[in-house]
Amino acid sequence: MAETNLIAESGKQDIVISREFDAPPQDLVFKACTDPGGLVSQWWGGPKGVTTTVEKMDTRPGGMWRAVQRDAEGNEYAFHGVYHEVTPGRIVDTFEYDAMPGHVLLETETLEDLGGGRTKLTDHLIFQSVEDRDGMLQAGSQEEMIEPLERLAGLLQSLKQAASAR
């Protein structure tokens, strides 16, 4: 079983998260990362028990995205950003938590074709400062960055099974 790796070196303002998936990069992984019609909301977001609603997702350069998460107590957490590049091998966007305006990070997701229907997704998050990055890590966000990729792996497996059943 593949593991999600998270690297956050002390004193640096970035985080690198990677995971390999048993799914082709363009047919399934890219689609799961850019489909506002339902796929993104099935895996993206925080810890288990949190639901995600994609309110806006215009996956063109200059297009905006906005997602709202709700926990079991009804609390809402909203995030938004702007796409800078969207190609089957690379997605670049900004990410900002509505409750902390002005703390914007730059996210670059790279989809590497490993052959044999496998993909390596690398998510490189660059924060405006080491303090912003450390604040996110101290808030317990490491688990919230890993769990969605675990859910994505499950979703991709389901999509593959559905495709082969047709």
Side-chain angles (χ1 to χ4, degrees):
M1 182 172 176
E3 287 187 23
T4 302
N5 299 303
L6 186 143
I7 300 170
E9 294 181 36
S10 180
K12 302 242 178 151
Q13 66 192 64
D14 66 340
I15 296 172
V16 179
I17 307 160
S18 62
R19 183 184 173 110
E20 292 183 16
F21 297 98
D22 187 22
Q26 294 175 0
D27 297 343
L28 290 180
V29 182
F30 179 73
K31 182 179 179 182
C33 292
T34 59
D35 174 44
L39 292 180
V40 172
S41 64
Q42 291 182 50
W43 68 270
W44 189 86
K48 291 177 184 165
V50 172
T51 60
T52 300
T53 302
V54 177
E55 291 186 342
K56 183 175 198 166
M57 190 172 209
D58 180 0
T59 57
R60 299 176 295 166
M64 298 177 70
W65 67 269
R66 186 173 198 299
V68 177
Q69 298 175 340
R70 288 173 187 81
D71 64 19
E73 291 78 41
N75 298 307
E76 291 189 356
Y77 309 93
F79 306 86
H80 67 277
V82 176
Y83 288 100
H84 294 272
E85 179 183 341
V86 181
T87 64
R90 187 170 136 114
I91 303 166
V92 180
D93 64 279
T94 57
F95 180 97
E96 185 173 4
Y97 177 36
D98 283 8
M100 296 184 68
H103 296 272
V104 181
L105 65 89
L106 181 66
E107 175 178 36
T108 301
E109 292 176 301
T110 305
L111 303 176
E112 179 185 350
D113 188 343
L114 300 175
R118 293 192 54 79
T119 303
K120 180 178 182 181
L121 183 147
T122 302
D123 194 1
H124 189 189
L125 308 172
I126 302 174
F127 295 78
Q128 291 177 322
S129 68
V130 173
E131 293 77 22
D132 277 1
R133 195 239 17 205
D134 289 350
M136 187 170 183
L137 291 172
Q138 290 167 0
S141 295
Q142 280 182 277
E143 191 171 305
E144 292 176 18
M145 289 183 243
I146 292 172
E147 280 187 24
L149 293 181
E150 304 295 323
R151 287 193 298 271
L152 177 57
L155 173 63
L156 291 169
Q157 190 63 35
S158 296
L159 292 172
K160 277 181 58 176
Q161 288 173 350
S164 66
R166 285 185 226 151

